[in-house]
Amino acid sequence: MMPPERAAPPAADPAIDNWLDAGWSDRELRADVSVGLSSSPKELPPKWFYDDRGSELFDEITRLDEYYPTRREREILEREADAIAAAAGADCIAELGSGTSTKTRILLDAFAAAGQFRRYVPFDNSEATLRNAAGEVAAAYPDLAVQGVVGDFEHHLGHLPLDDADAPFGAPPRAPAMLVLLGGTIGNFSPARRPAFLDAVAGAMRTGDTFLLGTDLVKDVDRLVAAYDDAAGVTARFNLNVLSVLNRRLGADFDLDAFAHEAVFDADNEWIEMRLRSLRTQTVHIPALEMTVDFAAGERMRTEISAKFRPERVRSELGAAGLVVQRMWTDADGDYALTLARRVL
């Protein structure tokens, strides 16, 4: 799951570059719903889970006993942050999908302690969340240049300000930068989309830059499914909330009581698939799209995939993008991995 975190009040006002116009979110939502609900099988992208209520529910999910990924990633960061800083040798961190940058503080502390840190570049598609988080980081690290970027993964990674705009002409090349993608977010990309995304990441890097990637690993199926179908039903409410988003923003008339949450492990693709199953034959109207959508009883609509990885697959997919794995760290139980890869050409 993508893990945006709730924003805190701003404490400073760092520079923010916004590459998204005011209508971007509405256009993306309309396009995604129009295409997804016209497809067979029907699907919705997981990015629309995260309105205010969805973010609250996901925050609750991360504290559930069944949901191990957030704990495991933090465990690795707390244990290995100094080693990551030493291996990367970077003086700039650019975080993709930064949210409130809460877990990133562990890395920021380690890089600052190493005495090599000059710039933090959070990248997110929510300007309000990013502005608040960037302000908090700027206040906590007054000697650090913070330059936020509001953008879309698929279009704007080339706008990451990794170079020092104030460097004089003829100055020596900059030190390496490290791009970061935490939270297992890479697993929400389909296998068809991951290569283009990783190519874009590599394209934003220079030779010597590194990429720190968080991935959930393949493990016991019962544990995987439980993480997405908890006993308390929090994930079910989170999944159903996407229908509330469509009702509110597009005037749709989804009846949330007419759908049920499902989470299954697809062994062939090695991913968890979250779905909403129609409990009866029904018709949904979406006035903003002038669209009517029929659901058969028992019909399933996919709302998320969350791919699980094996170490060799991580190496292969990064390698195909020209990124060579330098180090890979896992938690004590081998549930989760952080991988540091370097662009060598």
Side-chain angles (χ1 to χ4, degrees):
M1 297 178 187
M2 299 179 179
E5 297 159 342
R6 297 192 59 76
D13 190 21
I16 302 292
D17 292 331
N18 190 341
W19 294 93
L20 302 178
D21 64 75
W24 173 84
S25 179
D26 284 338
R27 289 197 307 273
E28 287 285 302
L29 176 62
R30 288 167 178 255
D32 286 345
V33 173
S34 180
V35 172
L37 296 190
S38 300
S39 301
S40 182
K42 298 178 178 69
E43 63 180 335
L44 293 170
K47 63 186 176 184
W48 303 114
F49 284 137
Y50 298 104
D51 65 347
D52 288 345
R53 178 57 178 155
S55 295
E56 290 173 356
L57 287 166
F58 186 78
D59 184 63
E60 189 175 345
I61 287 169
T62 63
R63 296 193 296 271
L64 295 170
D65 289 342
E66 295 99 327
Y67 195 75
Y68 60 84
T70 301
R71 293 192 301 276
R72 295 296 184 252
E73 186 172 68
R74 179 176 288 276
E75 175 188 322
I76 301 169
L77 287 170
E78 289 175 344
R79 189 188 70 217
E80 303 291 357
D82 291 341
I84 292 169
D91 68 355
C92 171
I93 291 176
E95 185 179 10
L96 311 182
S98 52
T100 60
S101 306
T102 302
K103 282 184 293 188
T104 317
R105 298 289 190 96
I106 303 168
L107 286 173
L108 301 187
D109 287 344
F111 276 72
Q116 62 196 40
F117 201 27
R118 67 179 177 88
R119 178 177 295 184
Y120 174 58
V121 180
F123 179 103
D124 203 275
N125 63 21
S126 169
E127 180 172 0
T129 299
L130 186 142
R131 188 172 294 279
N132 284 321
E136 289 290 310
V137 170
Y141 303 87
D143 296 327
L144 185 66
V146 179
Q147 173 72 58
V149 178
V150 181
D152 181 280
F153 278 160
E154 298 184 80
H155 302 290
H156 303 121
L157 293 185
H159 296 296
L160 291 171
L162 304 181
D163 297 321
D164 188 349
D166 297 326
F169 179 77
R174 64 165 171 80
M178 183 176 79
L179 278 64
V180 177
L181 181 65
L182 299 176
T185 304
I186 188 70
N188 295 133
F189 288 85
S190 69
R193 291 178 59 218
R194 279 201 303 271
F197 170 71
L198 292 173
D199 284 345
V201 170
M205 300 164 65
R206 290 187 180 181
T207 299
D209 289 349
T210 53
F211 178 43
L212 183 68
L213 177 66
T215 51
D216 196 6
L217 301 179
V218 175
K219 59 184 65 65
D220 176 75
V221 172
D222 288 342
R223 289 190 62 222
L224 283 170
V225 171
Y228 295 82
D229 193 12
D230 60 278
V234 182
T235 310
R237 295 194 294 276
F238 173 74
N239 195 8
L240 287 162
N241 184 69
V242 73
L243 303 182
S244 297
V245 173
L246 271 55
N247 287 349
R248 186 182 71 255
R249 295 186 57 177
L250 300 177
D253 59 2
F254 281 97
D255 178 358
L256 275 61
D257 292 331
F259 290 86
H261 164 72
E262 291 184 346
V264 297
F265 182 67
D266 182 326
D268 292 334
N269 290 302
E270 294 191 321
W271 68 43
I272 286 285
E273 188 165 301
M274 289 211 318
R275 306 165 178 168
L276 291 172
R277 175 169 51 86
S278 178
L279 297 177
R280 55 177 168 81
T281 300
Q282 57 184 307
T283 298
V284 175
H285 305 90
I286 308 177
L289 301 178
E290 299 182 348
M291 188 175 186
T292 299
V293 185
D294 294 322
F295 288 86
E299 182 178 354
R300 290 164 171 84
M301 174 172 60
R302 187 169 72 187
T303 54
E304 180 180 76
I305 64 167
S306 183
K308 309 306 170 185
F309 293 83
R310 299 180 188 273
E312 57 270 24
R313 184 170 161 198
V314 175
R315 294 177 185 274
S316 174
E317 294 196 11
L318 289 170
L323 302 173
V324 177
V325 172
Q326 306 290 292
R327 295 283 302 276
M328 182 179 289
W329 298 271
T330 65
D331 61 278
D333 295 326
D335 283 341
Y336 195 92
L338 286 178
T339 301
L340 186 72
R342 190 176 301 276
R343 178 172 168 173
V344 295
L345 295 177

